[in-house]
Amino acid sequence: MTTLLRGRGWARTHPLAVDAALSSAVLVCMVVGSFAEPYGEHGPTWGTRTPDVPSLLLMALGALALVFRRRAPWSVLAATCAASIVELLTGEPRAPVVMCAVIALFTVAARTDRSTTWRIGLVTMTGLTGVAMLSGPLPWYAQENLGIFAWTGMAAAAGDAVRSRRAFVDAIRERAERAERTREEEARRRVAEERLRIARELHDVVAHHIALVNVQAGVAAHVMDKRPDQAKEALSHVRDASRSALNELRATVGLLRQTGDPEAPTEPAPGLHRLDELVDTFRNAGLPVEVALGQVGLDLAAAVDLAAFRIIQEALTNVQKHAGKGAKAEVSVVRVGPNVEVTVIDDGPGLGKGDGRNTDGGGHGLLGMRERVTALGGSCSAGPRYGGGFRVHAILPVTTAKGGTA
């Protein structure tokens, strides 16, 4: 098997040598066949005829032309057909020069489309057979004349079959390669989506809790000397926020664990059932927050529930960071038809040019919100309110894009 594969590889890389060997074999067959009478009374008889010099020359020229059958198949077909016609008109007895034309016709048929193959095959068959029938001492119905018709027809059919098989194999190979590329692209897309999802989770968790820790630490530093009790309370909130951040980070990073790794997280993902707990952390940090939770209905799908929680978390974090002192926030979650609408507004004056929320897509938080909502088939808008403040509004379908339902 290895030797066969090596031989095929060598033949593909040395086509001229292969064609030279083929033309030599064809020349030997034609010369040997020119000394025999193929249609004698008792079958082929040897030594009953001898080819003349012009016939030997035509056989040599036809075989030489076959060396270039891959490079110029149409020219080789024309040359071999011309040599065959000359031999049919002048040869006595006739030499089998037409064998060169048969091989040339096969080469053309294997390299062109089917309609062209049948047209050129019909012209070659009728031309050579017609010349053979109308010239020479043999009657038009002689087996030698009919043999030319049969061999040229089989050459065209065999060449078309080889071309069809090559096209079929190439199509299968191309389809397999395309499927492999599609699988690789799909795998890369899934990896990218998972990385983006984990990045959003980490951003939401870290940004929220670090913002609270920063505020409470500032409060503790400000009142440490004059009101130590209030400083202790602020530090207690810092401790609670940092512990919560570590727990959520542990749960998020736990998604990256391999099968069999110990201590996989079992805590459920956060959702609207923890909204009061989330709002309390901001209230403890000094941000007044009012909540209006409408009749959302049955428990939401996990993806929708998590997205709603993260949107509120990120929006309140932005209020805490950018709205300025004295700002108040309002959160509403209501069911409107097939959707759940989440709205977070504030009345803060903002921090002027430093308010990162005022730039469309300027922060990772707003971008992450939009990505979450878009992934579920919803919509999200965020921008300044008329008269001051900022508004985040997200519409989440109760039926997720993946078929989950509330």
Side-chain angles (χ1 to χ4, degrees):
M1 181 63 70
T2 302
T3 304
L4 179 60
L5 293 176
R6 289 178 180 177
R8 289 180 177 177
W10 184 89
R12 292 192 187 99
T13 56
H14 300 81
L16 189 62
V18 174
D19 290 338
L22 175 64
S23 65
S24 300
V26 171
L27 178 61
V28 171
C29 292
M30 288 190 298
V31 171
V32 172
S34 63
F35 286 92
E37 174 59 50
Y39 304 109
E41 293 184 8
H42 304 288
T45 56
W46 298 91
T48 57
R49 62 178 184 173
T50 302
D52 52 17
V53 175
S55 296
L56 292 174
L57 181 60
L58 289 173
M59 286 187 285
L61 291 176
L64 180 62
L66 291 179
V67 177
F68 307 100
R69 68 186 184 95
R70 298 179 199 251
R71 296 185 177 182
W74 290 96
S75 300
V76 171
L77 177 61
T80 53
C81 286
S84 300
I85 292 174
V86 172
E87 174 61 22
L88 292 174
L89 293 174
T90 62
E92 184 57 41
R94 292 173 177 172
V97 181
V98 74
M99 184 182 295
C100 298
V102 169
I103 296 177
L105 178 59
F106 167 83
T107 304
V108 170
R111 289 172 171 264
T112 188
D113 58 273
R114 176 163 296 173
S115 60
T116 304
T117 295
W118 289 118
R119 285 197 298 268
I120 192 64
L122 183 61
V123 171
T124 304
M125 285 189 295
T126 56
L128 294 180
T129 306
V131 171
M133 289 181 175
L134 297 176
S135 64
L138 298 176
W140 67 270
Y141 53 85
Q143 294 184 9
E144 184 176 344
N145 297 335
L146 298 178
I148 295 175
F149 182 85
W151 280 106
T152 51
M154 286 189 294
D160 181 70
V162 170
R163 181 200 56 78
S164 298
R165 182 181 180 279
R166 287 175 181 171
F168 178 72
V169 172
D170 291 341
I172 292 178
R173 184 181 295 110
E174 194 275 336
R175 192 179 300 113
E177 292 175 354
R178 186 171 61 251
E180 184 65 24
R181 289 194 302 269
T182 302
R183 284 194 297 269
E184 293 176 357
E185 292 172 359
E186 179 67 15
R188 286 194 294 268
R189 185 186 65 81
R190 290 179 180 273
V191 170
E193 289 180 352
E194 184 65 15
R195 287 176 176 173
L196 182 61
R197 188 186 67 81
I198 294 174
R200 284 198 301 262
E201 291 291 329
L202 290 176
H203 172 272
D204 292 345
V205 171
V206 172
H208 164 62
H209 291 290
I210 295 302
L212 294 180
V213 168
N214 180 64
V215 171
Q216 296 290 356
V219 171
H222 181 68
V223 301
M224 179 65 72
D225 296 332
K226 297 181 180 179
R227 287 172 286 180
D229 293 339
Q230 188 174 352
K232 289 181 180 179
E233 183 180 356
L235 292 175
S236 176
H237 291 316
V238 168
R239 181 186 59 197
D240 293 339
S242 60
R243 181 186 300 114
S244 179
L246 289 174
N247 290 335
E248 292 199 30
L249 282 174
R250 187 179 298 111
T252 302
V253 176
L255 297 174
L256 304 177
R257 292 179 181 271
Q258 299 291 332
T259 303
D261 285 352
E263 299 181 0
T266 58
E267 182 180 356
L272 293 178
H273 64 279
R274 293 179 54 186
L275 181 59
D276 292 338
E277 177 185 343
L278 174 67
V279 171
D280 286 341
T281 61
F282 286 99
R283 289 170 177 166
N284 293 332
L287 175 65
V289 182
E290 295 183 4
V291 178
L293 185 61
Q295 296 297 325
V296 177
L298 301 176
D299 292 338
L300 298 176
V304 176
D305 197 22
L306 175 61
F309 180 85
R310 291 304 188 196
I311 289 169
I312 297 171
Q313 183 184 57
E314 178 61 29
L316 291 177
T317 301
N318 285 339
V319 174
Q320 184 76 52
K321 292 167 60 178
H322 302 294
K325 295 182 179 180
K328 298 179 181 180
E330 297 180 7
V331 177
S332 69
V333 181
V334 295
R335 173 76 174 268
V336 180
N339 301 317
V340 172
E341 296 191 9
V342 178
T343 306
V344 180
I345 61 175
D346 67 79
D347 58 357
L351 302 180
K353 295 182 179 179
D355 191 346
R357 302 178 300 171
N358 294 330
T359 303
D360 186 19
H364 294 293
L366 295 180
L367 179 62
M369 278 193 254
R370 294 191 181 97
E371 289 173 346
R372 283 183 182 277
V373 176
T374 302
L376 296 174
S379 62
C380 179
S381 61
R385 298 172 59 200
Y386 178 77
F390 202 82
R391 178 177 182 268
V392 174
H393 181 67
I395 300 176
L396 299 169
V398 175
T399 302
T400 66
K402 293 184 179 180
T405 58

